[in-house]
mmCIF file of all heavy atoms in Angstrom:
data_model
loop_
_atom_site.group_PDB
_atom_site.id
_atom_site.type_symbol
_atom_site.label_atom_id
_atom_site.label_comp_id
_atom_site.label_asym_id
_atom_site.label_seq_id
_atom_site.Cartn_x
_atom_site.Cartn_y
_atom_site.Cartn_z
ATOM 1 N N VAL A 140 104.824 101.626 99.738
ATOM 2 C CA VAL A 140 104.379 102.825 100.684
ATOM 3 C C VAL A 140 103.998 102.330 101.959
ATOM 4 O O VAL A 140 104.240 102.893 102.990
ATOM 5 C CB VAL A 140 103.238 103.536 99.853
ATOM 6 C CG1 VAL A 140 102.445 104.444 100.851
ATOM 7 C CG2 VAL A 140 103.750 104.316 98.658
ATOM 8 N N ALA A 141 103.403 101.197 102.027
ATOM 9 C CA ALA A 141 103.031 100.546 103.290
ATOM 10 C C ALA A 141 104.151 100.210 104.040
ATOM 11 O O ALA A 141 104.096 100.276 105.269
ATOM 12 C CB ALA A 141 102.099 99.291 102.975
ATOM 13 N N LEU A 142 105.320 100.105 103.453
ATOM 14 C CA LEU A 142 106.567 99.650 104.237
ATOM 15 C C LEU A 142 107.371 100.920 104.646
ATOM 16 O O LEU A 142 108.183 100.710 105.548
ATOM 17 C CB LEU A 142 107.520 98.887 103.237
ATOM 18 C CG LEU A 142 107.007 97.430 103.003
ATOM 19 C CD1 LEU A 142 107.876 96.838 101.960
ATOM 20 C CD2 LEU A 142 107.047 96.637 104.336
ATOM 21 N N CYS A 143 106.931 102.067 104.227
ATOM 22 C CA CYS A 143 107.776 103.245 104.791
ATOM 23 C C CYS A 143 107.397 103.453 106.189
ATOM 24 O O CYS A 143 108.255 104.153 106.917
ATOM 25 C CB CYS A 143 107.221 104.563 104.009
ATOM 26 S SG CYS A 143 107.771 104.542 102.307
ATOM 27 N N SER A 144 106.358 102.806 106.798
ATOM 28 C CA SER A 144 106.188 102.955 108.189
ATOM 29 C C SER A 144 106.392 101.648 108.860
ATOM 30 O O SER A 144 105.832 101.404 109.968
ATOM 31 C CB SER A 144 104.697 103.442 108.401
ATOM 32 O OG SER A 144 103.746 102.595 107.740
ATOM 33 N N THR A 145 107.074 100.795 108.232
ATOM 34 C CA THR A 145 107.442 99.426 108.840
ATOM 35 C C THR A 145 108.280 99.729 110.148
ATOM 36 O O THR A 145 108.906 100.725 110.336
ATOM 37 C CB THR A 145 108.205 98.486 107.904
ATOM 38 O OG1 THR A 145 108.335 97.265 108.526
ATOM 39 C CG2 THR A 145 109.573 99.073 107.569
ATOM 40 N N SER A 146 108.258 98.678 111.057
ATOM 41 C CA SER A 146 108.817 99.067 112.354
ATOM 42 C C SER A 146 110.341 98.973 112.424
ATOM 43 O O SER A 146 110.920 99.583 113.359
ATOM 44 C CB SER A 146 108.254 98.004 113.507
ATOM 45 O OG SER A 146 108.505 96.646 112.976
ATOM 46 N N PHE A 147 110.943 98.297 111.443
ATOM 47 C CA PHE A 147 112.432 98.318 111.565
ATOM 48 C C PHE A 147 113.083 99.509 110.915
ATOM 49 O O PHE A 147 112.834 99.759 109.697
ATOM 50 C CB PHE A 147 112.970 97.005 110.938
ATOM 51 C CG PHE A 147 114.453 96.820 111.001
ATOM 52 C CD1 PHE A 147 115.150 96.909 112.218
ATOM 53 C CD2 PHE A 147 115.206 96.637 109.828
ATOM 54 C CE1 PHE A 147 116.458 96.748 112.415
ATOM 55 C CE2 PHE A 147 116.613 96.541 109.969
ATOM 56 C CZ PHE A 147 117.308 96.600 111.233
ATOM 57 N N GLY A 148 113.713 100.346 111.701
ATOM 58 C CA GLY A 148 114.221 101.678 111.225
ATOM 59 C C GLY A 148 114.969 101.689 109.887
ATOM 60 O O GLY A 148 114.538 102.404 108.988
ATOM 61 N N PRO A 149 115.979 100.916 109.743
ATOM 62 C CA PRO A 149 116.766 101.085 108.462
ATOM 63 C C PRO A 149 115.944 100.663 107.227
ATOM 64 O O PRO A 149 116.096 101.226 106.110
ATOM 65 C CB PRO A 149 117.925 100.045 108.698
ATOM 66 C CG PRO A 149 118.131 99.881 110.188
ATOM 67 C CD PRO A 149 116.697 100.164 110.659
ATOM 68 N N TYR A 150 115.117 99.713 107.394
ATOM 69 C CA TYR A 150 114.183 99.254 106.235
ATOM 70 C C TYR A 150 113.195 100.395 105.851
ATOM 71 O O TYR A 150 113.041 100.824 104.777
ATOM 72 C CB TYR A 150 113.403 98.000 106.659
ATOM 73 C CG TYR A 150 112.735 97.207 105.414
ATOM 74 C CD1 TYR A 150 113.203 97.417 104.186
ATOM 75 C CD2 TYR A 150 111.682 96.446 105.696
ATOM 76 C CE1 TYR A 150 112.505 96.775 103.171
ATOM 77 C CE2 TYR A 150 111.053 95.743 104.665
ATOM 78 C CZ TYR A 150 111.501 95.872 103.376
ATOM 79 O OH TYR A 150 110.847 95.209 102.428
ATOM 80 N N ALA A 151 112.630 100.969 106.937
ATOM 81 C CA ALA A 151 111.621 102.078 106.670
ATOM 82 C C ALA A 151 112.384 103.238 106.030
ATOM 83 O O ALA A 151 111.728 103.828 105.131
ATOM 84 C CB ALA A 151 111.052 102.509 108.080
ATOM 85 N N ARG A 152 113.575 103.583 106.540
ATOM 86 C CA ARG A 152 114.101 104.816 105.887
ATOM 87 C C ARG A 152 114.665 104.495 104.427
ATOM 88 O O ARG A 152 114.518 105.341 103.605
ATOM 89 C CB ARG A 152 115.474 105.128 106.752
ATOM 90 C CG ARG A 152 114.971 105.774 107.990
ATOM 91 C CD ARG A 152 116.185 106.409 108.811
ATOM 92 N NE ARG A 152 117.075 105.306 109.347
ATOM 93 C CZ ARG A 152 116.891 104.735 110.553
ATOM 94 N NH1 ARG A 152 115.902 105.095 111.312
ATOM 95 N NH2 ARG A 152 117.705 103.769 110.978
ATOM 96 N N ALA A 153 115.074 103.247 104.251
ATOM 97 C CA ALA A 153 115.431 102.818 102.761
ATOM 98 C C ALA A 153 114.210 102.959 101.880
ATOM 99 O O ALA A 153 114.227 103.469 100.755
ATOM 100 C CB ALA A 153 116.016 101.450 102.751
ATOM 101 N N MET A 154 113.015 102.518 102.451
ATOM 102 C CA MET A 154 111.800 102.516 101.622
ATOM 103 C C MET A 154 111.416 103.977 101.226
ATOM 104 O O MET A 154 110.785 104.156 100.218
ATOM 105 C CB MET A 154 110.668 101.885 102.395
ATOM 106 C CG MET A 154 110.807 100.396 102.498
ATOM 107 S SD MET A 154 111.490 99.551 101.115
ATOM 108 C CE MET A 154 110.400 100.043 99.816
ATOM 109 N N VAL A 155 111.600 104.944 102.186
ATOM 110 C CA VAL A 155 111.175 106.285 101.833
ATOM 111 C C VAL A 155 111.879 106.755 100.507
ATOM 112 O O VAL A 155 111.217 107.247 99.647
ATOM 113 C CB VAL A 155 111.521 107.278 103.029
ATOM 114 C CG1 VAL A 155 111.243 108.651 102.680
ATOM 115 C CG2 VAL A 155 110.606 106.862 104.276
ATOM 116 N N ARG A 156 113.191 106.496 100.446
ATOM 117 C CA ARG A 156 113.849 106.906 99.336
ATOM 118 C C ARG A 156 113.581 106.132 98.120
ATOM 119 O O ARG A 156 113.350 106.701 96.993
ATOM 120 C CB ARG A 156 115.400 106.727 99.769
ATOM 121 C CG ARG A 156 116.263 107.226 98.615
ATOM 122 C CD ARG A 156 117.702 107.397 99.184
ATOM 123 N NE ARG A 156 118.623 107.684 98.066
ATOM 124 C CZ ARG A 156 119.883 107.619 98.131
ATOM 125 N NH1 ARG A 156 120.519 107.463 99.327
ATOM 126 N NH2 ARG A 156 120.701 107.839 97.093
ATOM 127 N N ILE A 157 113.410 104.802 98.379
ATOM 128 C CA ILE A 157 113.078 103.951 97.167
ATOM 129 C C ILE A 157 111.773 104.386 96.601
ATOM 130 O O ILE A 157 111.576 104.444 95.360
ATOM 131 C CB ILE A 157 113.156 102.426 97.671
ATOM 132 C CG1 ILE A 157 114.604 102.116 97.877
ATOM 133 C CG2 ILE A 157 112.534 101.523 96.566
ATOM 134 C CD1 ILE A 157 114.786 100.697 98.416
ATOM 135 N N CYS A 158 110.762 104.693 97.473
ATOM 136 C CA CYS A 158 109.473 104.966 96.917
ATOM 137 C C CYS A 158 109.419 106.188 96.038
ATOM 138 O O CYS A 158 108.673 106.219 95.061
ATOM 139 C CB CYS A 158 108.435 105.260 98.142
ATOM 140 S SG CYS A 158 107.845 103.721 98.742
ATOM 141 N N LYS A 159 110.204 107.148 96.351
ATOM 142 C CA LYS A 159 110.324 108.393 95.589
ATOM 143 C C LYS A 159 110.766 107.934 94.180
ATOM 144 O O LYS A 159 110.195 108.497 93.125
ATOM 145 C CB LYS A 159 111.316 109.332 96.191
ATOM 146 C CG LYS A 159 110.738 110.175 97.305
ATOM 147 C CD LYS A 159 111.715 111.240 97.839
ATOM 148 C CE LYS A 159 111.206 111.708 99.168
ATOM 149 N NZ LYS A 159 112.307 112.137 99.990
ATOM 150 N N GLU A 160 111.858 107.174 94.068
ATOM 151 C CA GLU A 160 112.370 106.783 92.712
ATOM 152 C C GLU A 160 111.389 105.966 92.017
ATOM 153 O O GLU A 160 111.221 106.071 90.800
ATOM 154 C CB GLU A 160 113.781 106.197 92.874
ATOM 155 C CG GLU A 160 114.760 107.137 93.371
ATOM 156 C CD GLU A 160 116.126 106.554 93.605
ATOM 157 O OE1 GLU A 160 116.377 105.346 93.470
ATOM 158 O OE2 GLU A 160 116.981 107.433 93.914
ATOM 159 N N GLU A 161 110.747 105.145 92.674
ATOM 160 C CA GLU A 161 109.776 104.102 92.134
ATOM 161 C C GLU A 161 108.600 104.864 91.451
ATOM 162 O O GLU A 161 108.072 104.512 90.397
ATOM 163 C CB GLU A 161 109.241 103.082 93.061
ATOM 164 C CG GLU A 161 110.265 102.082 93.597
ATOM 165 C CD GLU A 161 110.712 101.041 92.511
ATOM 166 O OE1 GLU A 161 110.313 101.240 91.393
ATOM 167 O OE2 GLU A 161 111.448 100.118 92.910
ATOM 168 N N SER A 162 108.130 105.996 92.145
ATOM 169 C CA SER A 162 106.936 106.614 91.582
ATOM 170 C C SER A 162 107.416 107.325 90.271
ATOM 171 O O SER A 162 106.605 107.452 89.376
ATOM 172 C CB SER A 162 106.267 107.489 92.577
ATOM 173 O OG SER A 162 107.105 108.496 93.002
ATOM 174 N N PHE A 163 108.548 107.777 90.232
ATOM 175 C CA PHE A 163 109.173 108.345 89.005
ATOM 176 C C PHE A 163 109.181 107.277 87.907
ATOM 177 O O PHE A 163 108.838 107.520 86.752
ATOM 178 C CB PHE A 163 110.576 108.967 89.319
ATOM 179 C CG PHE A 163 111.253 109.517 88.057
ATOM 180 C CD1 PHE A 163 110.780 110.750 87.541
ATOM 181 C CD2 PHE A 163 112.272 108.874 87.427
ATOM 182 C CE1 PHE A 163 111.406 111.249 86.378
ATOM 183 C CE2 PHE A 163 112.779 109.358 86.302
ATOM 184 C CZ PHE A 163 112.387 110.659 85.770
ATOM 185 N N HIS A 164 109.640 106.061 88.303
ATOM 186 C CA HIS A 164 109.716 104.988 87.286
ATOM 187 C C HIS A 164 108.283 104.672 86.715
ATOM 188 O O HIS A 164 108.172 104.326 85.558
ATOM 189 C CB HIS A 164 110.340 103.716 87.895
ATOM 190 C CG HIS A 164 111.720 103.850 88.322
ATOM 191 N ND1 HIS A 164 112.342 102.907 89.208
ATOM 192 C CD2 HIS A 164 112.657 104.798 87.965
ATOM 193 C CE1 HIS A 164 113.582 103.361 89.342
ATOM 194 N NE2 HIS A 164 113.730 104.457 88.665
ATOM 195 N N GLN A 165 107.339 104.676 87.607
ATOM 196 C CA GLN A 165 106.011 104.348 87.217
ATOM 197 C C GLN A 165 105.418 105.356 86.199
ATOM 198 O O GLN A 165 104.948 104.943 85.126
ATOM 199 C CB GLN A 165 105.011 104.243 88.386
ATOM 200 C CG GLN A 165 103.841 103.605 87.995
ATOM 201 C CD GLN A 165 102.616 103.924 88.867
ATOM 202 O OE1 GLN A 165 102.634 104.812 89.709
ATOM 203 N NE2 GLN A 165 101.574 103.112 88.783
ATOM 204 N N ARG A 166 105.742 106.608 86.433
ATOM 205 C CA ARG A 166 105.250 107.674 85.571
ATOM 206 C C ARG A 166 105.909 107.421 84.200
ATOM 207 O O ARG A 166 105.400 107.659 83.145
ATOM 208 C CB ARG A 166 105.504 109.047 86.160
ATOM 209 C CG ARG A 166 104.504 109.523 87.118
ATOM 210 C CD ARG A 166 104.491 111.041 87.257
ATOM 211 N NE ARG A 166 105.762 111.538 87.636
ATOM 212 C CZ ARG A 166 106.218 111.623 88.898
ATOM 213 N NH1 ARG A 166 105.377 111.175 89.913
ATOM 214 N NH2 ARG A 166 107.359 112.158 89.220
ATOM 215 N N GLN A 167 107.221 107.237 84.316
ATOM 216 C CA GLN A 167 107.988 106.996 83.010
ATOM 217 C C GLN A 167 107.505 105.832 82.239
ATOM 218 O O GLN A 167 107.332 105.876 81.068
ATOM 219 C CB GLN A 167 109.426 106.650 83.470
ATOM 220 C CG GLN A 167 110.502 106.703 82.440
ATOM 221 C CD GLN A 167 111.854 106.494 83.085
ATOM 222 O OE1 GLN A 167 112.380 107.545 83.800
ATOM 223 N NE2 GLN A 167 112.494 105.436 82.983
ATOM 224 N N GLY A 168 107.117 104.715 82.916
ATOM 225 C CA GLY A 168 106.528 103.635 82.256
ATOM 226 C C GLY A 168 105.163 103.964 81.590
ATOM 227 O O GLY A 168 104.854 103.608 80.473
ATOM 228 N N TYR A 169 104.389 104.636 82.366
ATOM 229 C CA TYR A 169 102.971 105.006 81.857
ATOM 230 C C TYR A 169 103.207 105.933 80.612
ATOM 231 O O TYR A 169 102.504 105.816 79.590
ATOM 232 C CB TYR A 169 102.261 105.752 83.022
ATOM 233 C CG TYR A 169 100.834 105.970 82.630
ATOM 234 C CD1 TYR A 169 99.971 104.875 82.671
ATOM 235 C CD2 TYR A 169 100.236 107.104 82.322
ATOM 236 C CE1 TYR A 169 98.566 105.015 82.325
ATOM 237 C CE2 TYR A 169 98.996 107.412 82.106
ATOM 238 C CZ TYR A 169 98.067 106.312 82.071
ATOM 239 O OH TYR A 169 96.826 106.421 81.729
ATOM 240 N N GLU A 170 104.167 106.725 80.692
ATOM 241 C CA GLU A 170 104.412 107.704 79.600
ATOM 242 C C GLU A 170 104.847 107.045 78.255
ATOM 243 O O GLU A 170 104.493 107.329 77.143
ATOM 244 C CB GLU A 170 105.512 108.709 80.020
ATOM 245 C CG GLU A 170 105.327 110.028 79.264
ATOM 246 C CD GLU A 170 106.532 110.178 78.265
ATOM 247 O OE1 GLU A 170 107.632 109.734 78.535
ATOM 248 O OE2 GLU A 170 106.238 110.780 77.158
ATOM 249 N N ILE A 171 105.564 105.900 78.466
ATOM 250 C CA ILE A 171 106.005 105.101 77.339
ATOM 251 C C ILE A 171 104.699 104.480 76.742
ATOM 252 O O ILE A 171 104.436 104.520 75.438
ATOM 253 C CB ILE A 171 106.852 103.835 77.761
ATOM 254 C CG1 ILE A 171 108.294 104.378 78.125
ATOM 255 C CG2 ILE A 171 106.972 102.790 76.652
ATOM 256 C CD1 ILE A 171 109.272 103.314 78.587
ATOM 257 N N LEU A 172 103.784 103.973 77.560
ATOM 258 C CA LEU A 172 102.564 103.498 76.975
ATOM 259 C C LEU A 172 101.611 104.530 76.373
ATOM 260 O O LEU A 172 101.021 104.220 75.386
ATOM 261 C CB LEU A 172 101.745 102.715 78.133
ATOM 262 C CG LEU A 172 102.407 101.403 78.576
ATOM 263 C CD1 LEU A 172 101.752 100.855 79.718
ATOM 264 C CD2 LEU A 172 102.497 100.383 77.455
ATOM 265 N N LEU A 173 101.615 105.691 77.057
ATOM 266 C CA LEU A 173 100.813 106.689 76.481
ATOM 267 C C LEU A 173 101.302 107.132 75.068
ATOM 268 O O LEU A 173 100.471 107.248 74.201
ATOM 269 C CB LEU A 173 100.953 107.893 77.347
ATOM 270 C CG LEU A 173 99.822 108.949 77.489
ATOM 271 C CD1 LEU A 173 98.516 108.185 77.809
ATOM 272 C CD2 LEU A 173 100.052 109.933 78.622
ATOM 273 N N THR A 174 102.595 107.189 74.861
ATOM 274 C CA THR A 174 103.137 107.428 73.577
ATOM 275 C C THR A 174 102.748 106.292 72.525
ATOM 276 O O THR A 174 102.343 106.572 71.435
ATOM 277 C CB THR A 174 104.653 107.477 73.654
ATOM 278 O OG1 THR A 174 105.006 108.373 74.665
ATOM 279 C CG2 THR A 174 105.238 107.936 72.367
ATOM 280 N N LEU A 175 102.779 105.077 73.009
ATOM 281 C CA LEU A 175 102.395 103.925 72.112
ATOM 282 C C LEU A 175 100.911 103.964 71.769
ATOM 283 O O LEU A 175 100.466 103.811 70.601
ATOM 284 C CB LEU A 175 102.724 102.595 72.866
ATOM 285 C CG LEU A 175 104.223 102.214 73.055
ATOM 286 C CD1 LEU A 175 104.266 100.842 73.644
ATOM 287 C CD2 LEU A 175 104.938 102.268 71.609
#
Side-chain angles (χ1 to χ4, degrees):
Chain A
V140 164
L142 288 171
C143 291
S144 55
T145 187
S146 57
F147 184 56
Y150 193 25
R152 289 188 289 274
M154 288 322 303
V155 171
R156 185 161 167 193
I157 290 172
C158 277
K159 281 187 196 147
E160 293 179 351
E161 293 288 6
S162 57
F163 179 73
H164 296 163
Q165 195 203 11
R166 280 202 301 276
Q167 192 172 290
Y169 192 71
E170 205 254 325
I171 288 176
L172 289 176
L173 211 50
T174 308
L175 294 180

